[in-house]
């Protein structure tokens, strides 16, 4: 449902009337209203969880098309049907591009999906996950076990319950890959879209390390990616955006931010990616080495949101 009103026929079929697109107008539906003038609706079979934690409003609903759906403060975070797209592209792209990542930091990701994908890389020796809300982790273990698939029991995991912006500012550990699996820049997530946060992440990277971030849906959130890329361009020798199509993130293609101190990570050959993918023994539903390379080829309207660095 792409509008905030719905058109329907009268009982006689002779008249079209307009009714508000609300949960009262359509019982059994749940609407995400992240945008003031655009909404998406999902037919709900049951509500599994609906509680407010100290940090946010956590909801889990069973949808008829996408399976279980997690919402934070009313905004869709992930669904069983298409979570693999987001998690595979945000995890495997930097790890396989790096080629020898030993230490990985996951920012956010309380549902466990990102941890699941990172933990599939046997070459990764240590995984640190920083999640602000312990309730999301415990809730996801109980109600969304297919997302983590046991990854919370991985002995390589250090789970830290803390604001991630404060964490990257205070610690002195270094990481090969940092994955910012963050929510939209509202509420607690706003601090994860600042120059200070990106600068602190940059300081936490080892030489040749890669930072990747969730960058929103450019068709509806152009400013988010534009502002991100402006900050990346000031901090990283190599910066870019890449894309994937995640059905429940309404508005079309989703963007991810990429920052590194060398372009060779992003420009790694497809044959090399194929070799690393095979050696890792991965089986993926969306990610492929060819798609990895293609994801950095942007539609013009997204390309225009990424500032060009003036050649000096």
């Amino acid at each position: 449902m792409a509008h905030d009103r719905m058109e329907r026929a009268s009982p006689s079929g002779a008249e079209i009337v307009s009714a508000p697109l609300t949960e009262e107008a359509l019982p059994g539906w749940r609407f995400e209203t992240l945008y003031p003038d655009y909404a998406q609706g999902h037919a709900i079979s049951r509500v599994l969880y609906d509680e407010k934690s100290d940090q946010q409003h956590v909801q889990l609903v069973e949808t008829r098309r996408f399976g279980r759906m997690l919402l934070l403060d009313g905004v869709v975070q992930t669904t069983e049907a298409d979570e693999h797209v987001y998690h595979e592209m945000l995890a495997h792209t930097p790890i396989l591009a790096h080629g020898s990542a030993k230490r990985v930091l996951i920012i956010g990701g309380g549902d466990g999906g990102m941890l699941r994908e990172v933990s599939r890389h046997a070459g990764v020796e240590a995984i640190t996950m920083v999640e602000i809300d312990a309730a999301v982790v415990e809730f996801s273990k109980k109600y969304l076990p297919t997302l983590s698939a046991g990854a919370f029991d991985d002995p390589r995991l250090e789970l830290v319950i803390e604001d991630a912006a404060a964490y990257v500012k205070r610690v002195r550990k270094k990481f090969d890959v940092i994955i910012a699996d963050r929510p939209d820049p509202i509420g607690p997530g706003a601090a994860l879209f600042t120059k200070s946060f990106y600068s602190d992440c940059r300081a936490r990277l080892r030489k040749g390390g890669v930072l990747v971030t969730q960058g929103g849906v450019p068709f509806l959130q152009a400013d988010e990616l534009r502002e991100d890329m402006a900050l990346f361009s000031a901090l990283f020798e190599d910066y870019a955006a890449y894309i994937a199509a995640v059905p429940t993130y309404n508005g079309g293609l989703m963007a991810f931010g990429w920052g590194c101190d060398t372009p060779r990570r992003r420009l790694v050959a497809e044959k090399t990616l194929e070799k690393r993918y095979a050696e890792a023994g991965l089986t993926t539903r969306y990610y492929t080495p060819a798609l990895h390379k293609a994801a950095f080829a942007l539609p013009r309207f997204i390309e225009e949101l990424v500032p060009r660095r003036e050649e000096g």
Side-chain angles (χ1 to χ4, degrees), residues 58-102:
V58 182
Q59 296 170 296
L60 184 73
V61 297
E62 185 85 43
T63 71
R64 297 179 198 170
R65 181 169 294 274
F66 289 93
R68 293 188 175 188
M69 173 182 289
L70 173 65
L71 301 97
L72 297 181
D73 292 329
V75 179
V76 175
Q77 301 300 306
T78 192
T79 77
E80 289 180 316
D82 66 358
E83 54 84 13
H84 63 280
V85 180
Y86 175 86
H87 291 129
E88 288 179 9
M89 289 300 286
L90 203 48
H92 302 314
T93 303
I95 292 174
L96 291 177
H98 187 285
S100 57
K102 303 299 184 186

Side-chain angles (χ1 to χ4, degrees), residues 68 80 83 111-113 116 140-141 143-150:
R68 293 188 175 188
E80 289 180 316
E83 54 84 13
D111 57 62
R116 179 197 72 219
S140 297
K141 288 180 182 178
Y143 293 102
L144 287 168
T146 59
L147 263 72
S148 59

Side-chain angles (χ1 to χ4, degrees), residues 143-162:
Y143 293 102
L144 287 168
T146 59
L147 263 72
S148 59
F152 283 112
D153 297 324
D154 193 310
R156 296 171 294 173
L157 172 65
E158 177 193 13
L159 177 61
V160 180
I161 303 301
E162 185 179 347

Side-chain angles (χ1 to χ4, degrees), residues 242-262:
Y242 65 104
I243 54 177
V246 187
T248 45
Y249 297 154
N250 54 333
L253 296 167
M254 181 165 207
F256 306 101
W258 169 284
C260 187
D261 63 12
T262 172

Side-chain angles (χ1 to χ4, degrees), residues 181-245:
D181 180 10
R182 58 194 181 178
D184 289 290
I186 52 179
L192 307 181
F193 288 78
T194 63
K195 182 177 181 180
S196 174
F197 172 71
Y198 294 138
S199 181
D200 290 335
C201 285
R202 173 71 181 82
R204 301 279 67 78
L205 286 173
R206 287 175 167 174
K207 184 175 178 58
V210 181
L211 167 67
V212 291
T213 60
Q214 179 273 111
V217 179
F219 188 79
L220 295 173
Q221 299 168 306
D223 287 345
E224 183 176 318
L225 183 61
R226 183 187 295 110
E227 291 165 9
D228 262 11
M229 290 294 96
L231 294 174
F232 273 50
S233 70
L235 290 169
F236 294 97
E237 178 181 339
D238 186 54
Y239 62 95
Y242 65 104
I243 54 177

